[in-house]
Amino acid sequence: SFQAFFKQPLPLLFPKISYSFYPVYCGLYQIEYEALPLAADFSLDVQAFEQPHGGIIFPNPNAPTGLLLPLQQVEQICQRSQSVVIVDEAYIDFGGQSAIELTRRYDNLLVIQTFSKSRSLAGLRLGYAIGHVDLIEALNRIKNSFNSYPVDALAQVAAQASIADEISFRQGCQNIITTRQRLSEALVALGFRALPSHANFVFTSHPSHDAKTLYHALKKAGILVRYFDQPGIDQFLRITVGSDDEIDQLLTRLGDILAA
């Protein structure tokens, strides 16, 4: 996508707090970019995208916040952009509404999804893009000049089986949503602030306990969470929604740490 669409005279726009590979890819492909600050509540500032640009890319829900941009605001971005808009929906199945339906009305919108999250096939590194035929053709031109066969036969079989097994897919998503809600409520009960996540993780901070200290204390106890030593989010932990037993162990250990 970066090679196909974003080598433009004007900068690519994306959120400042988002995937770390965005600026890395821009450096690799020599793409000018501008990282836009999030709003005070960590949501995407839709108005910030209304400036001259050569493209837009953002995850929805965003990472590592887990916050979802409502579909009408995604549409607003597409309406007001004359460039390609890419919406990365890696986490969309955990409670969000996909923008795929908007691709029927906006030729500049490309929606990308993955089998790595909700379909539990991360090791395959398999995903797909949906958009206007001209956008797909541009992707194919780049693909065919770089690697004509990026998806092997076994990965295709696994992907087809995953799509066919709709019952397991829906149940897995619902399990994550239910456990995520329980985790968020339990964290709030322990005094944490938990952002309203629509992903398979919870982004959380405690007003009187340093996040990095909590991270190391949990790691010492054999519990791994994600800590970002980055301005603006360096007091937050990103906690993956695991099994109920894993969440119980996490909450018990956090309670012990906070009480110490």
Side-chain angles (χ1 to χ4, degrees):
S1 298
F2 279 72
Q3 287 178 298
F5 304 119
F6 295 146
K7 186 67 174 178
Q8 304 287 344
L10 293 173
L12 171 66
L13 304 181
F14 52 77
K16 187 173 185 179
I17 296 175
S18 189
Y19 289 138
S20 60
F21 73 83
Y22 287 168
V24 172
Y25 276 18
C26 287
L28 177 63
Y29 298 119
Q30 297 183 317
I31 296 169
E32 295 295 325
Y33 71 89
E34 183 171 348
L36 305 177
L38 298 181
D41 62 356
F42 293 98
S43 63
L44 266 66
D45 183 357
V46 174
Q47 280 69 40
F49 290 101
E50 296 178 13
Q51 59 178 285
H53 61 269
I56 293 172
I57 187 170
F58 61 91
N60 196 37
N62 196 13
T65 64
L67 296 183
L68 179 74
L69 189 68
L71 193 61
Q72 61 268 28
Q73 293 188 21
V74 175
E75 182 170 14
Q76 180 180 328
I77 292 173
C78 296
Q79 284 176 333
R80 300 181 182 183
S81 174
Q82 301 301 312
S83 300
V84 174
V85 177
I86 297 183
V87 180
D88 184 341
E89 294 187 339
Y91 303 102
I92 198 66
D93 294 322
F94 300 117
Q97 184 178 2
S98 175
I100 288 175
E101 65 181 73
L102 298 179
T103 62
R104 300 179 183 273
R105 302 200 298 274
Y106 298 96
D107 294 350
N108 62 330
L109 173 62
L110 190 73
V111 176
I112 56 178
Q113 293 193 5
T114 178
F115 287 81
S116 296
K117 313 299 182 186
S118 58
R119 296 189 181 274
S120 306
L121 295 175
L124 291 186
R125 315 311 301 162
L126 183 64
Y128 57 92
I130 296 177
H132 189 271
V133 61
D134 291 343
L135 299 184
I136 302 303
E137 182 184 356
L139 289 176
N140 279 327
R141 283 202 301 269
I142 294 296
K143 175 183 75 70
N144 290 334
S145 63
F146 176 72
N147 181 0
S148 300
Y149 306 102
V151 182
D152 61 62
L154 292 179
Q156 292 180 47
V157 171
Q160 290 169 359
S162 173
I163 292 174
D165 190 4
E166 183 72 10
I167 294 176
S168 295
F169 164 67
R170 293 298 175 190
Q171 186 60 57
C173 291
Q174 188 56 53
N175 289 343
I176 292 292
I177 292 170
T178 300
T179 305
R180 181 185 68 206
Q181 182 64 26
R182 183 169 74 89
L183 171 61
S184 297
E185 292 174 356
L187 287 170
V188 170
L190 288 172
F192 284 85
R193 171 194 181 190
L195 298 190
S197 175
H198 284 78
N200 62 344
F201 53 79
V202 175
F203 204 51
T204 185
S205 66
H206 199 285
S208 56
H209 290 268
D210 177 67
K212 191 172 186 179
T213 302
L214 290 174
Y215 162 75
H216 284 296
L218 288 170
K219 185 177 181 180
K220 186 176 181 180
I223 298 175
L224 298 179
V225 298
R226 189 79 184 271
Y227 172 70
F228 298 87
D229 195 359
Q230 178 182 339
I233 57 173
D234 57 357
Q235 285 304 311
F236 282 80
L237 299 176
R238 194 197 73 179
I239 302 176
T240 299
V241 178
S243 67
D244 286 325
D245 180 63
E246 289 169 335
I247 295 303
D248 288 341
Q249 293 184 54
L250 165 75
L251 293 172
T252 298
R253 181 57 63 180
L254 271 178
D256 293 341
I257 294 170
L258 296 180

